[in-house]
Amino acid sequence: MTIHTKSIELPRLDAPAVAVFEYALSQGSLKRWPTDVPEALGMSPQDVERACRTLLSLRLLRPAPDSPEELIPVSPDAAAAEAVGPLEAQVAQAAAHAQSVRDDLRMLMPHYRAAQRERDHRQGVDVLPDLTAASAMLTQESARCREEVFSIQPGGGRAPHRLGDAIERDLAMLRRGVVMRTLYQHSARASLSTQGYVETLTEAGAEYRTAAELPDRAVVFDRSVAFLPRRADGGPGEGAVLVRDPDVVAYLCRVFDQHWSGATPFHGSSEAAYKEVGPSLRRALVGLLAEGAKDEVIARRMGMSLRTCRRHIADLLEELGAESRFQGGALAERAGLTTAEQPAAGDGRPPEGGRSAG
């Protein structure tokens, strides 16, 4: 239903109209087009005519019943009821129509919200098809980052050319006061290029820790945008998936925080860099052997090459004096190598009241 209303316009009561109305009150009435009023009020005939038209529109003057040429003054209350009543009725009708239209439009809100959620879901993930696209977007988000960036980098040491591309970008963020934290696997401690990179960035304010096992790669900027590897359909992880969905990003923050709290600080090149994570490395290795995992699986989960993994397994069995993996598992359990150590002071857990990534 469409409502069409004729606009009602009422003039404002100005000083000339008030003067003419007061004159009419004093005289009891006046002629429709008076000739004596201008002289009495010191007004021009044109001003008096305009004032009379205003008073007639506002119902403050009306023709006398028995003499249409004579105008008599009307009570302001009666004039208000007669002049403003239709306008108030029009306003009420328009308000009722506006409310009905508002109710009709609000009925569409569930449809709008559902479509918005679907659109946000689609827009919450962008696929970056190759390394070039992923690197370009990573550089762009790094430049936007203002508060915090954390990353999970499983596997062994990072390739020197990758570190060369990252170091200036990371130093620029640190100079802006961005908090930077990175998780590596213990195996990264054996990489000379990674050691040098970590040492340089640590001096600039970044923090690094290592753990025996980590989930897949992830980089999160300002707790609002995350980069994940492409793994759909068994993909090799080339390129990336850029995620802005707040629930997914919040989940990644919690995952990072849990791994960070149990990881061991890593400051770069040091002769003891590998020795200080020896117990953690052995426990993870023994646990995987006890699961019956094959060498290839153990190497992948520990972030090592197959050759290095087999050397660690041989060293462990020799250390335990075991002739087989089964015997090694039994001896390791007897030696307490399968029991996680309790965190000690300085083990890298966040201080009481410290800010968590979750």
Side-chain angles (χ1 to χ4, degrees):
M1 180 181 65
T2 302
I3 295 181
H4 299 284
T5 58
K6 184 179 180 180
S7 177
I8 299 176
E9 296 184 4
L10 294 176
R12 299 300 301 272
L13 192 62
D14 55 15
V18 171
V20 172
F21 180 70
E22 291 177 344
Y23 182 81
L25 288 174
S26 67
Q27 300 299 314
S29 66
L30 51 81
K31 297 296 183 181
R32 179 177 286 272
W33 308 120
T35 57
D36 56 338
V37 175
E39 184 178 352
L41 297 179
M43 298 168 58
S44 69
Q46 293 80 8
D47 289 339
V48 173
E49 288 181 12
R50 281 194 296 269
C52 287
R53 284 195 293 268
T54 297
L55 295 171
L56 286 167
S57 298
L58 294 174
R59 310 300 193 270
L60 286 168
L61 290 179
R62 70 174 55 182
D66 55 351
S67 179
E69 295 301 318
E70 184 179 4
L71 303 177
I72 58 175
V74 179
S75 163
D77 287 339
E82 185 177 353
V84 180
L87 181 60
E88 290 176 335
Q90 187 184 66
V91 170
Q93 184 182 23
H97 180 60
Q99 185 61 47
S100 65
V101 172
R102 182 179 290 108
D103 293 340
D104 290 343
L105 296 178
R106 283 175 174 170
M107 290 174 58
L108 299 176
M109 280 305 298
H111 303 281
Y112 175 79
R113 291 193 181 103
Q116 189 177 43
R117 284 194 297 269
E118 179 63 24
R119 184 175 63 253
D120 290 344
H121 176 72
R122 293 195 303 267
Q123 294 177 347
V125 177
D126 292 328
V127 176
L128 308 174
D130 51 40
L131 186 60
T132 300
S135 179
M137 186 60 71
L138 195 66
T139 300
Q140 180 175 318
E141 292 298 332
S142 299
R144 292 176 178 172
C145 184
R146 289 296 177 267
E147 295 182 7
E148 177 187 16
V149 57
F150 67 74
S151 59
I152 301 174
Q153 299 288 349
R158 298 170 67 187
H161 71 277
R162 294 281 181 85
L163 295 174
D165 294 339
I167 189 165
E168 287 303 322
R169 180 182 63 208
D170 294 346
L171 286 173
M173 285 192 288
L174 289 169
R175 285 192 290 266
R176 294 199 305 270
V178 173
V179 175
M180 182 179 296
R181 295 183 294 166
T182 303
L183 276 170
Y184 287 118
Q185 285 189 267
H186 291 328
S187 54
R189 292 172 178 257
S191 166
L192 293 178
S193 59
T194 304
Q195 287 179 6
Y197 168 80
V198 169
E199 186 175 25
T200 299
L201 272 293
T202 298
E203 291 176 355
E207 295 182 74
Y208 295 86
R209 296 184 184 182
T210 63
E213 292 188 76
L214 289 175
D216 214 340
R217 294 195 310 271
V219 182
V220 178
F221 293 98
D222 287 336
R223 304 170 183 258
S224 61
V225 58
F227 288 79
L228 301 175
R230 297 180 63 195
R231 298 295 189 196
D233 302 323
E238 292 298 326
V241 178
L242 189 149
V243 180
R244 300 184 187 276
D245 184 279
D247 292 318
V248 176
V249 175
Y251 173 79
L252 293 172
C253 290
R254 290 192 294 274
V255 169
F256 177 85
D257 183 61
Q258 290 175 354
H259 284 82
W260 180 265
S261 65
T264 305
F266 177 35
H267 303 293
S269 59
S270 170
E271 294 182 359
Y274 227 125
K275 294 180 181 179
E276 63 186 2
V277 297
S280 173
L281 197 62
R282 285 198 299 274
R283 282 194 302 276
L285 193 58
V286 167
L288 291 171
L289 287 173
E291 293 177 8
K294 295 182 179 180
D295 291 356
E296 292 79 2
V297 174
I298 296 174
R300 184 173 63 253
R301 289 179 58 175
M302 300 288 287
M304 303 175 179
S305 67
L306 182 59
R307 180 178 178 181
T308 300
C309 176
R310 285 173 173 165
R311 187 176 71 246
H312 278 292
I313 293 173
D315 291 343
L316 176 62
L317 295 179
E318 182 179 357
E319 178 183 343
L320 294 171
E323 297 180 359
S324 67
R325 293 190 178 196
F326 177 79
Q327 185 183 23
L331 293 174
E333 184 175 1
R334 188 182 307 167
L337 293 180
T338 58
T339 304
E341 296 177 353
Q342 294 299 317
D347 70 339
R349 291 184 180 274
E352 188 72 20
R355 183 185 184 189
S356 76

